[in-house]
Amino acid sequence: MADVTLKVWRGDQGGGDFAEYTLVGQDGEVVLDVIHRIQATVAGDLACRWNCKAGKCGSCSAEINGTPRLMCMTRMDTLPEGPVTVVPIIRDLVSDVSFNFEMAKQVPAFAPPPRPPDGYRMAQIDVERGQEFRKCIECFLCQNVCHVIRDHEDNKTHYAGPRFFIRFAELEMHPLDTNDRRELVRQKAGLGMCNITKCCTEVCPEHIKITDNAIIPMKERVIDASYDPVAWLGRKIGRRHKATPSEAAAHGG
């Protein structure tokens, strides 16, 4: 088999450059295999994050020839010669995903109602809807490719990104959840900044339909909650029905 050449980023947040490594090719290799051989033969100090090598943990996400992918799922024989790049950088091929963990802390947890005597019940369609979102392996490729934060670093303070729009959708669509996160998604998570280009869906290794099944339905729910006059009236009536006698008296009811 012909030689394979990788241009691998070497450096950290302070700076660095690409280093070129050429090895004898081997049948059936993926990019991560070549990275491991580079570590074992010519660059033992090359830093690389990986775990399962089965496309299920998301640890080895990288930009391969400019496209966000999993190194363990990208066969060398499907690629032209080109660089493997990762941005942002902690060191070499280890990317900084701390932004995502900070965003995760801001998502209100699942809050079911008190358990009824006969147990919780859900329709199968509701179970299946949430199952798609739970396929997420948190590789954060969707976060990397999203131009709202990729091209505009200052948006990170008020834009959660596709991975967390999935999480918000999973919780909001759960029939047993009692939290209402729609105003949070609108005001602080920046859902309205997404212009549904579907770039996140295109790079998802689990083939989750992020845009169609999570982001667009969440936009519809947020609009209904914020601007639908019928929904507003329903909430107003509901609040009055739940008011205590003293509150009702104070409002002339």
Side-chain angles (χ1 to χ4, degrees), residues 1 9 61 86-87 125 169 177 179-180 209 219 223-224 233:
M1 188 173 177
W9 175 263
S61 56
V86 180
V87 180
I125 190 173
D177 185 66
N179 266 338
D180 187 347
K209 295 181 179 179
K219 283 177 174 280
I223 291 298
D224 286 345
L233 181 60

Side-chain angles (χ1 to χ4, degrees), residues 166-185:
I166 292 175
R167 179 59 176 155
F168 278 114
E170 176 191 345
L171 293 167
E172 283 298 301
M173 296 178 188
H174 198 297
L176 299 179
D177 185 66
T178 59
N179 266 338
D180 187 347
R181 304 167 185 80
R182 291 174 295 182
E183 192 63 16
L184 172 64
V185 174

Side-chain angles (χ1 to χ4, degrees), residues 4-8 19-22 31 34-35 38 76 82-84:
V4 294
T5 300
L6 291 185
K7 292 180 179 178
V8 179
E20 189 170 295
Y21 301 99
T22 300
V31 172
V34 180
I35 294 296
I38 292 172
M76 290 299 300
V84 176

Side-chain angles (χ1 to χ4, degrees), residues 15-94:
D17 205 348
F18 289 107
E20 189 170 295
Y21 301 99
T22 300
L23 300 175
V24 177
Q26 296 183 4
D27 289 338
E29 279 193 315
V30 294
V31 172
L32 187 58
D33 291 325
V34 180
I35 294 296
H36 285 167
R37 287 205 289 135
I38 292 172
Q39 289 177 316
T41 57
V42 294
D45 62 341
L46 173 63
C48 174
R49 179 183 285 137
W50 71 284
N51 188 20
C52 73
K53 201 175 179 291
K56 294 301 178 184
C57 73
S59 300
C60 66
S61 56
E63 284 190 11
I64 301 171
N65 290 348
T67 301
R69 299 181 180 182
L70 296 179
M71 291 192 287
C72 69
M73 299 297 288
T74 305
R75 289 177 57 97
M76 290 299 300
D77 56 15
T78 65
L79 297 172
E81 179 182 326
V84 176
T85 60
V86 180
V87 180
I89 302 297
I90 291 180
R91 180 186 164 202
D92 300 340
L93 297 181
V94 179

Side-chain angles (χ1 to χ4, degrees), residues 144-240:
N144 176 275
V145 77
C146 180
H147 63 89
V148 177
I149 45 181
R150 182 185 179 93
D151 299 335
H152 307 280
E153 185 77 14
D154 54 326
N155 284 340
K156 282 188 172 183
T157 58
H158 47 273
Y159 184 77
R163 189 279 170 267
F164 297 103
F165 294 150
I166 292 175
R167 179 59 176 155
F168 278 114
E170 176 191 345
L171 293 167
E172 283 298 301
M173 296 178 188
H174 198 297
L176 299 179
D177 185 66
T178 59
N179 266 338
D180 187 347
R181 304 167 185 80
R182 291 174 295 182
E183 192 63 16
L184 172 64
V185 174
R186 184 173 77 93
Q187 294 282 11
K188 295 186 178 180
L191 181 66
M193 298 171 68
C194 170
N195 54 12
I196 57 176
T197 59
K198 296 191 177 183
C199 54
C200 52
T201 300
E202 292 173 359
V203 301
C204 178
E206 290 296 313
H207 308 293
I208 301 171
K209 295 181 179 179
I210 301 172
T211 308
D212 291 339
N213 292 350
I215 294 178
I216 291 176
M218 279 302 298
K219 283 177 174 280
E220 292 171 347
R221 287 169 179 252
V222 168
I223 291 298
D224 286 345
S226 302
Y227 302 108
D228 186 332
V230 176
W232 176 87
L233 181 60
R235 290 194 302 274
K236 192 78 170 178
I237 294 173
R239 281 197 296 268
R240 290 194 65 179

